[in-house]
Amino acid sequence: MRIFNLVVWLVAAAVAGPAAARDFTSSDIYPSDYPTVRAVAHLADLMRERSGGRLIVSTLGAADQQTENYTLGELRNGTLDMARVNLAVLNSAVPATTVLTLPYMFRSTAHERRVLDGPIGQEILATFERAGVVGLVFYDGGARSTYGVMPVRSPADLRGVKYRAQQSSNWAPMVRAMGAQPVVLPLIRVDPSMRAGLVDVADGNWSSFVALQHHRVAKFFSQTEHARSPGVVLFSRRVWDTLSDEERSIIRSAARDSVAYYRRLWDEHEAEARRTAETAGVQIVSDVDLSAFSSALVPLHDTAVSDARLKAMIDRIKADPGP
């Protein structure tokens, strides 16, 4: 009888072992060699190692050809487990994210990273759950500049120009403040729209500019550096609520530890992307009137945010004493 019980226990354990494993799917709009996708793959490796092989993540990269708004919807209804998205798509659902996407909010990459790693970053991540997602970590995305079929040196150059705008609450007003005509398009439509003359300019960082092949159609990259909107790694709240405390702890620690890895990848990738663009014949416009752009865009800080707590958050960011 004792032997029979032991056999039953071993069979049950063998069946229960695989059932305890969790398979997750993560999405990103960029291709598999892009820093954000590679960083999430590293995050997945850490999750698997620290869980003894129980927590497994498959990354989709550019296999997800939907918009990031669609991706956010998948996360909220639980049909997708994880995703890295640009913070701008959350502006309406999570108002605090607007602060990080405002023009000329950060003086430098170092300034942005201090804010994202510090108390303000944690405060904003904590507000995500009311939107049906769990914010794990931010991946900063470099300075966004204007590129297209024409050079841009001042807001005067953009009067009446068709400027691709992100699908967010504050991007179209920013484009209008520069004198341009906003054309709201998903990122994957920029290339064909620019070739067809439906948009004249768009914006992005060096890495996305090259990864999305926009440097093949946009031959001018004007260093307006008007925003530093970060990305964020999210987890579906519906799926998160089914996890144990131990599993949640493993995922959070793996996400935190992926940030340093991501930043090393990002810095290297951005430098290489610029060299690739220059080799392809892209003209870099460096004599940009940053003062004129700042004068046009910084007033949006007061109009884009009305909540007193968020206005105080903006003041805290500006008060950062570092470079």
Side-chain angles (χ1 to χ4, degrees), residues 30-275:
Y30 290 111
S32 59
D33 61 346
Y34 199 72
T36 56
V37 182
R38 292 175 61 191
V40 171
H42 178 68
L43 188 164
D45 289 341
L46 295 177
M47 285 172 54
R48 186 181 66 252
E49 292 168 6
R50 294 173 184 181
S51 66
R54 289 185 296 108
L55 302 181
I56 302 167
V57 180
S58 299
T59 55
L60 294 179
D64 179 10
Q65 290 299 307
Q66 305 292 345
T67 68
E68 289 188 311
N69 279 325
Y70 183 88
T71 298
L72 181 59
E74 288 186 304
L75 286 170
R76 295 167 88 169
N77 64 31
T79 56
L80 180 67
D81 304 300
M82 290 176 58
R84 195 288 323 170
V85 301
N86 191 293
L87 204 63
V89 303
L90 286 147
N91 287 171
S92 296
V94 187
T97 61
T98 300
V99 171
L100 300 180
T101 61
L102 289 173
Y104 296 112
M105 179 87 290
F106 301 107
R107 296 183 296 275
S108 64
T109 297
H111 181 203
E112 180 182 16
R113 288 175 175 176
R114 282 195 305 275
V115 171
L116 297 181
D117 293 345
I120 292 176
Q122 295 307 305
E123 288 173 32
I124 294 175
L125 286 175
T127 67
F128 281 51
E129 293 195 26
R130 69 189 67 172
V133 292
V134 176
L136 296 177
V137 288
F138 293 111
Y139 286 168
D140 56 283
R144 299 181 72 92
S145 288
T146 302
Y147 59 79
V149 298
M150 52 181 282
V152 175
R153 293 180 172 84
S154 75
D157 295 330
L158 289 171
R159 288 183 189 139
V161 170
K162 292 170 289 186
Y163 198 127
R164 181 262 171 174
Q166 294 187 60
Q167 296 166 299
S168 74
S169 61
N170 69 316
W171 222 258
M174 184 186 74
V175 170
R176 291 191 189 97
M178 291 189 288
Q181 174 188 340
V183 179
V184 178
L185 285 174
L187 196 58
I188 59 173
R189 296 299 305 161
V190 171
D191 184 306
S193 296
M194 195 171 288
R195 291 181 187 277
L198 300 177
V199 296
D200 303 307
V201 296
D203 73 347
N205 53 59
W206 282 112
S207 289
S208 65
F209 179 57
V210 171
L212 296 169
Q213 304 293 306
H214 291 176
H215 67 299
R216 294 185 175 181
V217 60
K219 291 304 179 183
F220 295 92
F221 191 98
S222 304
Q223 295 184 290
T224 53
E225 299 190 345
H226 52 269
R228 293 176 180 272
S229 177
V232 62
V233 181
L234 302 174
F235 210 97
S236 169
R237 173 69 187 273
R238 288 195 177 190
V239 179
W240 188 261
D241 288 345
T242 69
L243 303 177
S244 68
D245 289 343
E246 179 194 12
E247 289 169 333
R248 294 176 188 172
S249 178
I250 289 172
I251 294 170
R252 284 196 183 278
S253 67
R256 285 193 300 270
D257 291 345
S258 74
V259 173
Y261 177 83
Y262 163 75
R263 288 176 178 170
R264 178 174 60 79
L265 288 179
W266 178 263
D267 292 344
E268 294 172 354
H269 193 273
E270 194 168 40
E272 179 59 30
R274 174 169 178 157
R275 288 192 291 269

